Amino acid sequence: MSQSIEFIYDFGSPNSYLAHKVLPDLAARCGVGLRYSPALLGGVFKATNNQSPITAFAHVRHKLTYQMHEMHRYAKRHRLTFHMNPHFPVMTLALMRGAIFARGKPWESKYIEAVFDAIWVHGQKMDDPGVIRDVLQEHGLPVDEIGAAVQSSGVKHALKDATDAAVERGVFGAPTMFVGDEMFFGKDSLPELEFELQRLSVTA
């Protein structure tokens, strides 16, 4: 596979969850790889002077109501289970450090799937250490190893470095996808991403 999709995400973003559920099939259709790149959304917002939609559009009449409707409509179209987390916004610092530690390990996909589903399917409070531990144990993940890693200076610095690197590439929110140097923001850009991959396959 000469081409691949890089997926920059934060577990706390509902649109990252929705994109995550669709991207594997899209990548398979296009015959390309899919690589997950964690970035802390709060750090991205701070570095780019951006805000979450719930803050940025709090005073725009009907905007947040429509966005919630649109997410559920998207989930229905793609036959996804999606529930807005009752504890939103969920602080994801520990989870994203865990994602950094998981990179390249045989259980990385299991970790990503378990955390996304815990937040956006089962509505769990995934900024509670006890809840996190229970979810990881339920999925057979190395709980103690992950718990120690997220407290280590190496993992903390690695998440900061990954977040800074994403910002330097032009990232201002999540989900963001890259095909080479071409950036696609938001789940609504996935048709354009697929078109780009098809174009590249024709010209290759």
Side-chain angles (χ1 to χ4, degrees):
M1 293 183 183
S2 57
Q3 293 291 343
S4 65
I5 302 166
E6 183 179 3
F7 177 49
I8 297 176
Y9 71 99
D10 186 307
F11 291 120
S13 159
N15 285 309
S16 288
Y17 163 78
L18 293 169
H20 152 74
K21 289 294 187 179
V22 170
L23 274 168
D25 284 346
L26 188 157
R29 282 197 305 273
C30 296
V32 301
L34 176 59
R35 180 161 55 94
Y36 281 68
S37 294
L40 188 65
L41 194 52
V44 170
F45 285 163
K46 184 176 180 180
T48 59
N49 200 32
N50 197 2
Q51 295 177 311
S52 68
I54 200 169
T55 300
F57 303 123
H59 302 296
V60 180
R61 190 178 182 191
H62 305 311
K63 177 78 171 182
L64 294 178
T65 301
Y66 173 78
Q67 287 195 324
M68 184 64 63
H69 173 69
E70 188 276 332
M71 286 190 290
H72 284 285
R73 183 170 59 196
Y74 183 95
K76 183 177 180 180
R77 174 192 168 195
H78 293 282
R79 299 180 180 179
L80 307 175
T81 302
F82 168 70
H83 306 290
M84 195 64 189
N85 189 283
H87 309 289
F88 184 83
V90 178
M91 301 298 291
T92 59
L93 180 60
L95 299 172
M96 297 309 295
R97 287 176 180 170
I100 286 286
F101 179 63
R103 287 185 302 184
K105 296 184 171 58
W107 43 266
E108 178 182 11
S109 295
K110 184 187 289 189
Y111 177 85
I112 291 169
E113 197 71 23
V115 174
F116 265 133
D117 282 0
I119 297 173
W120 301 113
V121 175
H122 304 298
Q124 292 177 274
K125 187 171 170 40
M126 288 293 283
D127 48 14
D128 181 322
V131 175
I132 294 172
R133 185 176 185 86
D134 288 346
V135 168
L136 299 186
Q137 283 182 329
E138 179 185 347
H139 288 85
L141 290 156
V143 179
D144 293 335
E145 188 180 353
I146 294 169
V150 300
Q151 298 300 323
S152 70
S153 59
V155 167
K156 291 177 182 179
H157 287 303
L159 178 57
K160 183 180 184 304
D161 290 345
T163 302
D164 291 344
V167 170
E168 286 303 308
R169 294 174 70 190
V171 172
F172 54 85
T176 298
M177 288 69 63
F178 282 92
V179 175
D181 293 327
E182 191 72 16
M183 189 175 90
F184 300 85
F185 172 71
K187 70 183 188 306
D188 296 336
S189 71
L190 293 181
E192 296 302 317
L193 184 153
E194 185 165 7
F195 179 82
E196 174 70 3
L197 287 168
Q198 290 169 347
R199 183 188 69 81
L200 291 171
S201 69
V202 170
T203 59

